[in-house]
Amino acid sequence: MTAIPLSPAASDITAGYLASLRRRRLYSAILLAGFASLFGWSWLVANDRTAGGFLRGLPQVLDYPAELLSEAWESVGALPGMMAAQLPALIETINIAAVSTLLGAGAGGLLALLAAPALTPWPRLVPVVRRILDVTRAIPDIVIALVLIFVLGGGPVPAMLAIAFHTTGALGKLFSEVADNADLKPVEGLSSVGATWLQRMGLAVMPQVAPNWLSYALLRFEINIRASAILGFVGAGGIGSELRNAISWGPGRYDQAAAVFLLLFLTIVVVDQLSGHARDRLIRGTAR
Amino acid sequence: MTAFASDAARDHAAFRLIRAKRTAAIAAPLLILAYLLYAAVAFDLAGVASRSRADNAVLLLQDFWSYKTHVTRPNRGRDAGEIIAAIEGSRNMTYAEGQLPGWIEPAPGGAVVELQGDVTVRFLPDRVLQVDLPEHAPLRIATTPDAIVLEGWSGPLPDWISASDERVGLTLSHGARVAVTQSKSEVFRRTPGWELFFFTLDSEWYPLSWGERLAAAVTQPGAAASMAHDFWTNKVWHHGDVAWAMVETVLMAFLGTIGAALLALPLAFLSARNFAPNFVARFATRRGYDFLRGVDALIWTVILSRAFGPGPLTGALAILLTDTGSFGKLFSEALENIDGRQVEGVRATGARGILRARWGVIPQVAPVILSQVLYYLESNTRSATVIGAIVGGGIGLLLTQAIVTQQDWEDVAYYIILIVLVVIGMDAISGRLRRRLIKGA
């Protein structure tokens, strides 16, 4: 092959391109190396501060599930009965999730309208409302739940309020992104005929945002079921506290724990599937 | 579009649609209201109202922003007759001789304690306590071998005085209290702030003002290091341990999220419609994601802590397993939505499969994937707090421990502020990076 002689300008361009390519590759390599060493360091630190350690624990990972499953298998006939006995606790967990999603969606929706500069009746308050949403979103639900358990006593109400608080912030942010993109023409049309703020929001904005809002709320409901199970484990009521009791009984009663595990797993899968279908229909249905 | 046989039929259909929508508009709120009413009964709201402890709430709020100093005169034991001032009554927060705060004035045979609201409590000799009130004659509380005697109040006792032979207690304004029993006389005074937050009483830097500390840090060699050391090893607030706990929590989120992303990326190629080698691989990986997500972090945490014991690694692995499921699903959807022409272009240069993925696919999906990873990283920082409470690691553990004691509420407030700051910080960083990614794409 014969090399085609390049004009001086073209070879300059080639050299410049290669230099910038080399520089970019070097930067990416440094970034990658830094990231990899950060990951490795984190792993070592976490491993060091964990009682068992990764390599010691790894062979035992399957011991507990195996024991659980074998005990559950021995009394497989009694399993449906045990699961049925846990149903009230499960209903409580689902109720916590549903009520907190409803309350959080209501408060989040209101705050989202107040946080949209084009829709709010008080534009000056928009930054304030946005900061409120940031803070409600940032506080983990366990913090509020544990403090409220101290004040209100145990039971489902502290968990419900805690999750509703966090849901307000999380949904409020997502809702406000939808509301910001709402078409303002219907709002102007309604205000030109003298509609009040509530009428404008209810008749001009809600029909536009409802599918997306509902879809986000359903997604939150899935997340909140998991959250309410976890909060039950650390002190509020519901299936989480039953799980805690069941696993504290230890060997011989693992079938109980298996029943709770199974019930929780099935609930999460079923709710995820149902809500996934509903969300698909909500979003695709409006695209028609 | 449905074709209508006649105008009448079309009108009829339209009216039916309107009627249905109108019914739904009324029925949906009614149903929600009915459900909330049912939930109020199921949650026993009335019972909660009667069980709730308003005094706990007051205590908690007071402790959040102020601390209590106990001024005690024991009647028995080694220190009988001495005046002891200690923060929260704790042994390792007892003021030494020359350190007493200004509102405690030593006096012959006792001390004078100035409280807020013009109240003065005098520890007098012979086990007598005198309380000077702004609009009332002084009260005298005398401890005799037979009983505690309250003198100076005529008529029925108000709410804020409780008196019996065994104990006399006064509840004063600004959270101050006086309690006298056979074993000791005590005055409690609340002061705003978190005392000893920076330096404990045994630190040489405690008595100095901030100006003096700053001057020392600039002029004396080693002073700044000594201050940092005293702060870091503060025996009351344990800043060092708290910082490590916070690091553990962030580590859990970081390791779990990044590890899950690294695992899920290759798996997503097996489950994306346009890359899956065969139907079996696609089906198996998809059901695998559903399983990992369905088991949920709570159950993974319980199972994993049996094998790995308490600590951040257990929490990280629980997040890793759950999120591998979530990421697998999200990433494979991203892969299904790529533009095939770019891959074809790379294929035309004769690139093998791995190279096609690296140069044809990854550049297209990287912004989507990175943005999702960043979003999960932020949300997992919050989850790691809860998971830490279950596995026994990180700030979640400290938080539950502090709440269980039911008195270290200032610690609880400290941890809450730290958590919120870190979560907001992660939110801001991840939000900024995500915006840059989306704009760059």
Side-chain angles (χ1 to χ4, degrees):
Chain A
M1 221 157 79
T2 47
I4 304 165
L6 292 170
S7 70
S11 71
D12 276 0
I13 293 174
T14 314
Y17 171 73
L18 286 178
S20 91
L21 189 69
R22 260 200 303 279
R23 206 163 43 236
R24 250 203 0 240
R25 285 207 178 136
L26 182 70
Y27 286 159
S28 336
I30 290 174
L31 205 66
L32 199 66
F35 187 76
S37 46
L38 182 65
F39 191 76
W41 174 81
S42 317
W43 182 273
L44 290 180
V45 170
N47 196 31
D48 206 40
R49 298 177 79 86
T50 300
F54 184 66
L55 291 178
R56 269 232 317 272
L58 201 55
Q60 306 164 14
V61 163
L62 291 178
D63 290 0
Y64 181 59
E67 270 181 72
L68 259 173
L69 286 180
S70 72
E71 276 197 27
W73 186 248
E74 278 166 27
S75 51
V76 71
L79 223 48
M82 288 181 194
M83 282 164 67
Q86 302 291 357
L87 273 183
L90 178 68
I91 290 175
E92 183 163 273
T93 294
I94 295 177
N95 274 338
I96 292 174
V99 173
S100 55
T101 310
L102 280 175
L103 295 183
L110 187 66
L111 289 177
L113 293 180
L114 295 181
L119 303 176
T120 175
W122 306 293
R124 275 152 185 274
L125 287 184
V126 167
V128 180
V129 176
R130 290 191 177 229
R131 287 297 89 70
I132 292 176
L133 287 177
D134 284 346
V135 171
T136 50
R137 210 170 64 242
I139 302 180
D141 41 22
I142 188 179
V143 171
I144 301 174
L146 289 175
V147 169
L148 282 181
I149 287 173
F150 177 64
V151 175
L152 297 179
V157 176
M160 185 269 286
L161 289 175
I163 300 177
F165 191 79
H166 179 69
T167 302
T168 303
L171 282 183
K173 182 175 182 227
L174 293 172
F175 283 5
S176 74
E177 279 165 14
V178 178
D180 279 341
N181 292 327
D183 184 3
L184 292 178
K185 283 184 208 125
V187 184
E188 282 159 19
L190 276 178
S191 56
S192 73
V193 294
T196 62
W197 184 76
L198 274 180
Q199 287 169 332
R200 289 202 302 271
M201 294 301 117
L203 297 171
V205 179
M206 285 313 272
Q208 296 186 55
V209 298
N212 281 313
W213 281 23
L214 273 178
S215 155
Y216 281 136
L218 280 174
L219 189 65
R220 247 306 125 179
F221 178 59
E222 292 173 36
I223 298 172
N224 284 351
I225 285 200
R226 296 157 189 257
S228 93
I230 289 194
L231 286 188
F233 198 89
V234 295
I239 194 89
S241 50
E242 297 298 328
L243 177 62
R244 195 195 184 93
N245 292 338
I247 62 168
S248 66
W249 284 327
R253 302 292 297 277
Y254 278 155
D255 46 352
Q256 278 279 354
V260 181
F261 278 143
L262 194 58
L263 195 60
L264 188 54
F265 174 69
L266 289 178
T267 310
I268 290 175
V269 170
V270 167
V271 170
D272 276 14
Q273 292 293 334
L274 288 181
S275 124
H277 275 292
R279 280 187 288 130
D280 265 2
R281 275 188 50 185
L282 276 170
I283 299 301
R284 303 259 154 81
T286 50
R288 254 187 316 185
Chain B
M1 252 320 196
T2 330
F4 292 102
S6 66
D7 286 0
R10 192 192 55 210
D11 287 356
H12 182 68
F15 282 129
R16 223 177 35 207
L17 192 65
I18 292 173
R19 220 175 14 249
K21 288 205 166 174
R22 203 174 275 169
T23 321
I26 297 171
L30 279 181
L31 274 177
I32 290 177
L33 194 67
Y35 175 71
L36 288 179
L37 283 177
Y38 149 77
V41 177
F43 288 172
D44 189 20
L45 268 191
V48 171
S50 67
R51 260 180 293 138
S52 67
R53 301 273 310 272
D55 48 337
N56 276 354
V58 171
L59 173 77
L60 186 148
L61 289 177
Q62 273 180 346
D63 250 18
F64 267 10
W65 62 272
S66 67
Y67 64 94
K68 197 163 83 240
T69 311
H70 299 212
V71 185
T72 311
R73 178 163 69 179
N75 293 331
R76 302 174 182 147
R78 203 155 41 87
D79 300 325
E82 303 267 334
I83 301 289
I84 300 164
I87 292 163
E88 302 291 345
S90 167
R91 190 173 291 274
N92 61 359
M93 291 188 277
T94 306
Y95 289 104
E97 197 70 22
Q99 282 181 329
L100 285 178
W103 47 272
I104 304 177
E105 193 67 41
V112 178
V113 178
E114 297 279 348
L115 298 180
Q116 295 103 324
D118 269 345
V119 179
T120 308
V121 179
R122 296 171 198 280
F123 287 86
L124 301 179
D126 302 324
R127 300 184 176 184
V128 172
L129 201 69
Q130 178 178 322
V131 183
D132 297 346
L133 299 165
E135 284 169 2
H136 194 273
L139 299 178
R140 278 171 62 89
I141 306 170
T143 308
T144 68
D146 306 323
I148 316 290
V149 184
L150 172 73
E151 297 161 8
W153 192 273
S154 48
L157 293 177
D159 280 349
W160 55 274
I161 302 182
S162 70
S164 69
D165 285 353
E166 284 79 39
R167 183 179 181 281
V168 170
L170 310 180
T171 309
L172 304 164
S173 64
H174 297 88
R177 283 190 296 127
V178 174
V180 180
T181 61
Q182 283 292 349
S183 63
K184 62 191 172 191
S185 311
E186 270 190 304
V187 179
F188 307 100
R189 182 194 205 264
R190 281 209 165 268
T191 318
W194 292 347
E195 184 60 353
L196 312 184
F197 184 75
F198 293 101
F199 301 106
T200 46
L201 293 169
D202 55 1
S203 164
E204 56 178 310
W205 306 107
Y206 172 78
L208 305 183
S209 73
W210 277 110
E212 290 168 320
R213 286 171 190 162
L214 189 67
V218 173
T219 54
Q220 292 175 31
S226 154
M227 276 181 217
H229 174 265
D230 283 3
F231 174 76
W232 193 249
T233 58
N234 184 320
K235 282 195 291 294
V236 179
W237 288 90
H238 307 285
H239 297 295
D241 297 340
V242 174
W244 261 114
M246 205 64 240
V247 169
E248 278 187 4
T249 301
V250 175
L251 276 189
M252 274 190 241
F254 177 72
L255 281 177
T257 317
I258 303 299
L262 292 178
L263 273 183
L265 189 58
L267 283 176
F269 278 93
L270 294 180
S271 47
R273 199 176 295 122
N274 43 351
F275 291 99
N278 53 48
F279 172 75
V280 178
R282 177 157 186 261
F283 184 80
T285 44
R286 297 217 148 215
R287 293 294 83 76
Y289 303 150
D290 287 346
F291 177 74
L292 287 174
R293 268 157 28 87
V295 171
D296 194 37
L298 170 62
I299 303 180
W300 286 125
T301 310
V302 170
I303 292 177
L304 290 173
S305 52
R306 297 275 165 155
F308 298 108
L313 191 69
T314 312
L317 289 173
I319 294 177
L320 188 149
L321 284 176
T322 321
D323 281 1
T324 302
S326 313
F327 281 153
K329 198 167 171 226
L330 291 169
F331 291 180
S332 60
E333 278 163 15
L335 286 177
E336 283 171 4
N337 289 333
I338 62 160
D339 182 356
R341 282 172 300 186
Q342 202 164 324
V343 188
E344 224 156 90
V346 179
R347 187 202 293 268
T349 65
R352 283 174 296 118
I354 293 274
L355 288 173
R356 286 203 300 275
R358 167 65 187 87
W359 299 106
V361 183
I362 296 291
Q364 289 192 55
V365 291
V368 182
I369 286 182
L370 281 177
S371 135
Q372 274 161 353
V373 170
L374 284 170
Y375 173 74
Y376 269 76
L377 184 63
E378 179 253 320
S379 128
N380 279 337
T381 313
R382 241 177 298 108
S383 315
T385 316
V386 189
I387 289 175
I390 302 173
V391 296
I395 198 84
L397 177 68
L398 291 188
L399 188 71
T400 38
Q401 281 174 345
I403 288 179
V404 163
T405 65
Q406 304 215 334
Q407 47 188 357
D408 300 330
W409 295 110
E410 66 282 3
D411 289 340
V412 175
Y414 177 36
Y415 302 152
I416 290 178
I417 290 173
L418 261 186
I419 293 172
V420 169
L421 285 182
V422 168
V423 172
I424 288 185
M426 296 289 275
D427 190 19
I429 294 174
S430 111
R432 183 165 300 172
L433 286 176
R434 267 186 294 152
R435 268 194 297 280
R436 182 173 294 180
L437 275 172
I438 290 167
K439 222 178 270 168

